[in-house]
Amino acid sequence: MAQVGQPLLSVQGITIRFGGVVALDSITFDVMPGQIAGLIGPNGAGKTTLFNCLSRLYQPNAGDILFEGKSILGFPRHRIAAIGIGRTFQNVALFDNLTVLDNVMVGRHSQTHAGFMMNAFRPPMVGREEVAARAKAMDLIEFMNLTAFTNRPVAGLPFPIRKRVELARALAAEPKLLLLDEPAAGLNHEEVHVLESQIRRVRDVQNVTVLLVEHHMSLVMSVSDKVVVVNFGRKIADGRPEEVQRNPDVIRAYLGTAA
């Protein structure tokens, strides 16, 4: 487990190439336990590519990623949730024909121990795990203010509600680090304000460290403890929001002009 003063996540010189294109070029930054960190940059800067490295969907060509002081690059992608890294997606990925409750319960899979054979023969342990998973899911449904939708299929729910269901499902795995991929995409101003409060509550109440990729600058700057900026695959800034906002390289990357 990460110790006081030790990063929960340490990205160390990550480089990834697709053919002759360098998508990430020696990206390095840390996220401390309890932080909300924002990862920003213009379109095509490499943000989602980095998230896919953290999720083990992509294998870097160089560098390392440490989680609680240990490299995750040897882990298969299906083990990432079990070690404590959760993720939501830019395009909400839910099981449309399942209810809100069932979708959130799916998120408990990495925390259960019964395999195929045990589920087939249904020993008492399987029943106990199901009861515990349902109780945890109900707690998260209440936490995300989704109680009214508990038994409704997610297919017919409004987009902001579906976003909250996906967040509840990610929290069901009890992550230590939560990766939020453009959580404000498709939300209006009022919904973004609600999201800001929800992200803070996830950190403060669920004790989850957060790293978010986001284009909504007011959200990033208001909710983040630190901001990392990438452009054309390279890190150009890393610091407190107010420092990053004044950085000439950041201004140039977004506005095309010098500070």
Side-chain angles (χ1 to χ4, degrees):
M1 185 173 184
Q3 304 298 315
V4 176
Q6 175 184 334
L8 179 66
L9 174 71
S10 184
V11 177
Q12 301 182 347
I14 288 296
T15 297
I16 186 165
R17 303 180 186 88
F18 299 110
V21 178
V22 180
L24 294 174
D25 188 358
S26 300
I27 297 291
T28 296
F29 66 90
D30 293 335
V31 179
M32 303 302 292
Q35 277 189 329
I36 299 174
L39 178 63
I40 66 173
N43 286 330
K47 305 180 298 296
T48 297
T49 298
L50 179 57
F51 257 35
N52 286 339
C53 290
L54 297 176
S55 303
R56 297 294 295 117
L57 299 177
Y58 293 163
Q59 179 70 19
N61 298 103
D64 204 353
I65 300 170
L66 305 184
F67 182 68
E68 296 189 314
K70 298 179 180 179
S71 176
I72 67 170
L73 294 188
F75 284 90
R77 64 189 60 168
H78 68 268
R79 287 283 299 155
I80 294 303
I83 67 173
I85 301 177
R87 179 178 179 177
T88 65
F89 292 85
Q90 180 179 348
N91 298 315
V92 177
L94 295 172
F95 297 98
D96 281 347
N97 294 327
L98 298 183
T99 65
V100 169
L101 175 59
D102 288 337
N103 267 277
V104 179
M105 287 183 67
V106 166
R108 290 296 297 169
H109 176 72
S110 65
Q111 301 300 310
T112 59
H113 303 286
F116 175 79
M117 292 301 295
M118 292 189 70
N119 277 282
F121 289 102
R122 305 291 298 177
M125 171 189 162
V126 173
R128 290 194 296 269
E129 282 196 337
E130 285 186 0
V131 169
R134 182 175 295 269
K136 179 66 175 179
M138 290 301 298
D139 285 345
L140 289 169
I141 286 170
E142 181 178 0
F143 177 75
M144 295 303 299
N145 298 317
L146 292 166
T147 304
F149 307 99
T150 301
N151 296 309
R152 288 181 55 179
V154 298
L157 296 178
F159 185 69
I161 300 299
R162 290 165 60 86
K163 284 252 186 183
R164 280 154 55 187
V165 174
E166 188 181 43
L167 181 51
R169 185 181 64 184
L171 291 173
E174 299 184 20
K176 299 168 187 174
L177 173 68
L178 181 59
L179 308 175
L180 300 179
D181 192 352
E182 297 199 26
L187 303 184
N188 62 34
H189 180 75
E190 182 178 344
E191 291 160 351
V192 169
H193 183 70
V194 172
L195 174 63
E196 179 182 333
S197 174
Q198 289 171 338
I199 293 173
R200 287 200 177 97
R201 289 180 66 235
V202 165
R203 191 267 306 274
D204 298 338
V205 178
Q206 300 291 332
N207 298 314
V208 177
T209 302
V210 176
L211 174 62
L212 69 151
V213 162
E214 187 51 70
H215 286 289
H216 198 291
M217 288 299 100
S218 64
L219 172 65
V220 173
M221 295 303 172
S222 62
V223 80
S224 300
D225 301 306
K226 71 172 289 180
V227 177
V228 178
V229 189
V230 293
N231 191 30
F232 294 111
R234 294 184 177 182
K235 185 180 78 172
I236 61 173
D238 181 350
R240 296 192 304 273
E242 59 271 21
E243 295 172 339
V244 167
Q245 286 178 302
R246 296 192 300 264
N247 187 296
D249 291 332
V250 175
I251 296 171
R252 191 176 299 113
Y254 275 96
L255 302 179
T257 59

